[in-house]
Amino acid sequence: MVKQIFVRIFDLIVHPQETWETIKTENVDGNVLRNKFYFPLIIMMIICATIGSISSFIFEIEADFVTLFLESIKNAVVFFIAYFLGFFVVTLIFNELLASPFFYMERDLDKCFTLFAYSSSLMWCIKALVLLFPNMLFLYLLNFYAIYLIWTGAVVIFDNLQKEMTVKFTLIALLLLYCIPLGIENIMLKLIP
């Protein structure tokens, strides 16, 4: 299963148009997508967050086991809540926006879930790598590629999307996808000492 997840992410990055077409023809149920792609990917990211926080404290002179354990748990919980809750909030908000005067489309929670689950996988992988290797902050620049991933996914998944709405659709989806989880993460980090 893990290999399939990374093959799908690799295909999305290297061949986004063809991969989105494949995803559309698979017409996977939301529950199957959650269980076979989204949840395992989130669990892998939580493991990376935990390992990253452990490795950052190992080299501190006065780090004890309790501090190390508590910081690891805190980072894992914050990461899980921010990206798990944030993902579902984004999906629900965007689903409502579909029927709004922004797009004048029919709501379709499964299509929104599919678009955001696969589009956000790049963000999760980059975040996991930065958590594991904190000196590699330049990797965040790769998130700009998400614009293209969302664009191609929107055109394929939402086949009734009008061409003149594609830019607005992509920008709103991108802002929601990145701002809501990061906002939740920042709030959680301030609330948890």
Side-chain angles (χ1 to χ4, degrees):
M1 182 186 334
V2 174
K3 181 181 176 186
Q4 293 171 330
I5 291 171
F6 285 110
V7 166
R8 177 56 54 95
I9 293 170
F10 178 80
D11 288 344
L12 265 173
I13 293 169
V14 177
H15 310 288
Q17 185 71 36
E18 295 86 5
T19 307
W20 281 116
E21 294 288 345
T22 303
I23 289 168
K24 184 178 178 182
T25 57
E26 289 174 352
N27 197 20
V28 175
D29 177 47
N31 291 327
V32 173
L33 181 59
R34 273 189 293 277
N35 294 333
K36 300 233 179 199
F37 184 81
Y38 179 72
F39 288 143
L41 190 59
I42 281 287
I43 289 168
M44 286 186 277
M45 299 306 117
I46 290 170
I47 291 168
C48 290
T50 305
I51 292 170
S53 65
I54 289 171
S55 65
S56 68
F57 277 94
I58 285 177
F59 297 109
E60 288 192 18
I61 296 170
E62 295 185 24
D64 57 57
F65 179 75
V66 174
T67 306
L68 178 69
F69 179 75
L70 291 176
E71 191 64 27
S72 299
I73 295 298
K74 178 185 113 174
N75 287 340
V77 167
V78 166
F79 188 86
F80 177 76
I81 291 173
Y83 289 91
F84 183 78
L85 178 65
F87 175 78
F88 285 103
V89 169
V90 167
T91 304
L92 292 172
I93 289 173
F94 200 78
N95 189 48
E96 292 303 314
L97 285 175
L98 288 178
S100 73
F102 281 110
F103 304 115
Y104 298 107
M105 297 170 62
E106 288 184 31
R107 290 179 185 94
D108 193 333
L109 195 57
D110 284 337
K111 285 183 179 181
C112 290
F113 188 85
T114 301
L115 177 70
F116 287 119
Y118 287 115
S119 296
S120 61
S121 60
L122 175 65
M123 173 181 68
W124 295 333
C125 290
I126 292 169
K127 181 75 174 176
L129 286 172
V130 172
L131 287 170
L132 284 173
F133 308 106
N135 294 333
M136 298 180 73
L137 291 175
F138 66 90
L139 289 176
Y140 282 128
L141 294 173
L142 297 175
N143 279 320
F144 285 109
Y145 189 68
I147 297 169
Y148 183 66
L149 284 180
I150 294 171
W151 177 288
T152 54
V155 170
V156 173
I157 300 296
F158 292 91
D159 45 9
N160 57 344
L161 179 65
Q162 300 169 1
K163 288 198 183 251
E164 62 271 7
M165 297 292 232
T166 309
V167 172
K168 183 176 16 173
F169 187 97
T170 303
L171 292 177
I172 291 172
L174 183 74
L175 284 173
L176 288 173
L177 185 65
Y178 280 85
C179 292
I180 289 179
L182 290 176
I184 293 172
E185 182 179 20
N186 288 331
I187 290 169
M188 292 288 297
L189 288 173
K190 288 179 182 168
L191 291 176
I192 301 174

